[in-house]
Amino acid sequence: MLNKIRLGLFGAEDSIEIMKSVIVNFPEFTIVPVSYWQDDEIIEKLLAHEEKVDMWLFSGPIPYKFAKRGSGITKSMFYVPYSGSSLYKTLLQISYHQQIPFNQISYDTFRPDELRQVAVELEVSLEPLYVNCYEGEIHTDEVVRYHYELWKKGQTKAAVTCLKNAQHELLNLGVPAFRVLPSQSAIISTLSLIRQTQETIHFKDSQIAVQMIEFDSFLSLTKDSFSTDEIHRVEIKMTEKLLEYAKEINGSLKYAGPGRYVIFTTRGILQEATKGFTQVPDPGKRELTANDAVTSGIGIGQTVYEAEINSGTALLHAKEHGNGSMMVVFDDKTISGPLGQPEQITYDFSSEHLQSISEKTALSVTTLSKLESILRKLGKKEINAHELAQQMKIMPRSARRILTELEGNGLAQVVAEETIHPRGRPRKVYQIELK
């Protein structure tokens, strides 16, 4: 049986009260309400309550989008979509009390096609003309400015917003502003999705996780203490440290040969210890120091065998990044790391699409997947050899070889040259198309 889900409710106070009135009928949830007013409060308030919740439910897409772009928030996040029924109620209020035509109202949050569908269902022949739809987060003052400028020019007679603070500011400016609130049906639908997600997470948390650890005992020796007895003492000390670490993560330690150990535990425990597979576990908890030169790979799998194979693969990739590195291979054959590094990337080493490219070039699927992940992380298709070398932690000449190989096979082309130093050679900028 699953434990109760600690659900953080985030939004304006009145929206939270509406959500609470629905969620009280679902005993599997306990509620942690967190209200906000200003945009700049969102991340700070979420982080302050992050450890008190299992999942977040936002009253709408705007605070949700701010949270998605924030750092340090690791819990699953959902928001209540503004369904047709909640908009119908608002439009009926405007029609009944204000008698304002559909096409003389400005809207935010909704997509034009959603509003057109509402017009069809309400049998309104007028098209919505003023719709501020946005993909990412948007600040309240931008929403207010959009509605206010239209109203001030006489193009609209009212505004429909999904933000309480935007409605408040618009009313202060004299704009007839109406707000769309979460509907009961949309809240119930989102709660169902949250429950399904929690069941999936519970299953994943119970998956087998294997951490393969390798250390070089010679690095702990000095010239004066170089002896087989001293090496043996170093290994005994390391075993003691790893036993303490295994105890911390409820795992069992297995000796796997000189300088190599394996710990068996569960995905959920390691995910918590590594803060969502982004950080190296606290050295204090591991009873390890920086001088221990521990390199490790974490493998996740449906079976012990699969997890152990994946941990070995992760260790090999970690060793490419040097002593002290840690990588993770998941059961879907994606790999992530190095943990704790600002340049951490996640890539796939079993992609069929990249396999076909690999067969045409001298580049491995892993190299191509790393490149694809780096471009996705940077949010662009252009890169130079120096930048690629930094991201991949390889020599610039190796990065140039990768780019030249892609260019020779029609997968990259030089689109610019950058001159960093007056006497230096210009750096070629390549546009990559892994098709």
Side-chain angles (χ1 to χ4, degrees):
M1 181 178 177
L2 297 178
N3 294 327
K4 282 195 171 186
I5 302 172
R6 300 175 300 167
L7 189 60
L9 303 184
F10 195 91
E13 289 183 3
D14 54 354
S15 296
I16 288 178
E17 290 303 316
I18 293 172
M19 292 192 292
K20 284 170 64 176
S21 69
V22 175
I23 298 172
V24 72
N25 298 309
F26 294 82
E28 60 267 44
F29 295 100
T30 58
I31 298 170
V32 181
V34 183
S35 62
Y36 84 104
W37 184 254
Q38 300 296 334
D39 298 332
D40 56 10
E41 298 176 334
I42 294 175
I43 301 302
E44 182 181 352
K45 288 200 169 187
L46 287 170
L47 291 175
H49 293 82
E50 177 77 353
E51 298 304 317
K52 303 173 186 176
V53 307
D54 299 312
M55 295 184 173
W56 286 105
L57 176 58
F58 295 84
S59 61
I62 292 180
Y64 168 84
K65 289 175 180 177
F66 272 98
K68 290 290 284 186
R69 291 290 298 271
S71 58
I73 302 163
T74 59
K75 303 299 170 65
S76 297
M77 293 182 283
F78 305 82
Y79 70 87
V80 179
Y82 291 109
S83 63
S85 60
S86 54
L87 179 58
Y88 296 152
K89 182 179 178 180
T90 304
L91 291 176
L92 286 172
Q93 288 176 343
I94 298 174
S95 176
Y96 182 79
H97 294 291
Q98 304 290 327
Q99 297 183 338
I100 299 173
F102 191 61
N103 64 343
Q104 293 183 18
I105 303 170
S106 56
Y107 305 85
D108 62 60
T109 305
F110 295 96
R111 299 193 311 273
D113 61 299
E114 290 177 310
L115 292 168
R116 281 192 290 270
Q117 182 61 34
V118 169
V120 170
E121 292 174 1
L122 292 176
E123 297 184 354
V124 175
S125 60
L126 300 172
E127 279 272 329
L129 300 177
Y130 309 104
V131 184
N132 186 15
C133 183
Y134 40 86
E135 293 298 325
E137 73 272 19
I138 185 169
H139 290 271
T140 302
D141 56 355
E142 294 179 57
V143 175
V144 172
R145 192 180 309 117
Y146 170 76
H147 291 293
Y148 179 67
E149 290 297 328
L150 288 169
W151 176 80
K152 187 172 66 173
K153 294 174 183 176
Q155 294 174 272
T156 60
K157 294 183 178 179
V160 170
T161 182
C162 298
L163 287 172
K164 182 178 181 179
N165 43 356
Q167 182 194 29
H168 176 77
E169 292 295 329
L170 288 166
L171 290 173
N172 285 341
L173 291 168
V175 182
F178 299 84
R179 181 151 158 255
V180 180
L181 291 165
S183 69
Q184 181 174 336
S185 60
I187 295 169
I188 292 174
S189 177
T190 308
L191 291 176
S192 176
L193 177 61
I194 291 173
R195 284 186 297 187
Q196 292 172 13
T197 303
Q198 177 66 4
E199 289 172 2
T200 302
I201 291 174
H202 179 74
F203 168 73
K204 284 190 172 183
D205 283 350
S206 302
Q207 283 182 301
I208 301 297
V210 175
Q211 184 171 0
M212 191 171 290
I213 297 169
E214 187 173 282
F215 81 99
D216 189 344
S217 56
F218 287 87
L219 294 179
S220 301
L221 302 176
T222 64
K223 291 181 180 179
D224 298 330
S225 63
F226 193 87
S227 69
T228 54
D229 287 342
E230 189 60 32
I231 292 173
H232 188 56
R233 275 193 287 269
V234 168
E235 291 181 346
I236 291 174
K237 188 175 180 180
M238 175 58 71
T239 303
E240 291 173 349
K241 290 183 178 185
L242 291 175
L243 281 169
E244 286 298 317
Y245 171 55
K247 183 180 177 181
E248 285 286 340
I249 60 173
N250 292 333
S252 59
L253 182 68
K254 174 184 174 183
Y255 179 69
R260 183 172 291 180
Y261 298 83
V262 177
I263 297 176
F264 298 88
T265 182
T266 64
R267 176 179 184 150
I269 291 173
L270 275 181
Q271 183 164 312
E272 182 177 354
T274 59
K275 299 189 184 302
F277 297 113
T278 61
Q279 300 294 323
V280 175
D282 181 0
K285 290 184 179 179
R286 293 191 295 161
E287 294 293 322
L288 302 173
T289 68
N291 294 328
D292 288 321
V294 170
T295 305
S296 66
I298 296 173
I300 309 297
Q302 304 295 339
T303 65
V304 174
Y305 177 76
E306 181 188 4
E308 196 165 0
I309 293 296
N310 287 344
S311 70
T313 302
L315 178 61
L316 290 174
H317 283 274
K319 290 170 72 172
E320 291 179 1
H321 292 274
N323 288 330
S325 298
M326 182 181 290
M327 302 285 287
V328 186
V329 170
F330 298 97
D331 53 329
D332 63 356
K333 301 306 177 187
T334 58
I335 186 165
S336 185
L339 305 195
Q341 297 296 319
E343 301 302 333
Q344 182 174 332
I345 59 172
T346 299
Y347 52 94
D348 191 334
F349 59 91
S350 63
S351 166
E352 291 183 9
H353 162 61
L354 296 179
Q355 181 65 45
S356 64
I357 296 178
S358 176
E359 291 170 359
K360 299 173 186 176
T361 66
L363 303 175
S364 68
V365 172
T366 299
T367 297
L368 291 167
S369 188
K370 283 182 181 180
L371 174 60
E372 192 175 57
S373 178
I374 289 167
L375 294 173
R376 185 167 56 248
K377 184 183 74 169
L378 296 175
K380 61 181 183 178
K381 293 184 178 181
E382 298 78 27
I383 197 166
N384 61 46
H386 179 75
E387 191 175 17
L388 181 60
Q390 285 186 318
Q391 294 287 335
M392 279 194 173
K393 304 299 181 187
I394 58 177
M395 297 296 291
R397 64 173 177 271
S398 299
R400 281 194 291 272
R401 183 187 66 80
I402 292 171
L403 294 171
T404 302
E405 180 70 17
L406 290 172
E407 183 186 19
N409 284 275
L411 300 168
Q413 61 176 327
V414 178
V415 293
E417 289 190 348
E418 298 174 329
T419 303
I420 307 301
H421 302 290
R423 297 182 181 179
R425 187 172 60 181
R427 292 175 179 171
K428 295 179 179 179
V429 178
Y430 293 81
Q431 185 177 61
I432 312 296
E433 291 289 349
L434 296 179
K435 295 181 180 180

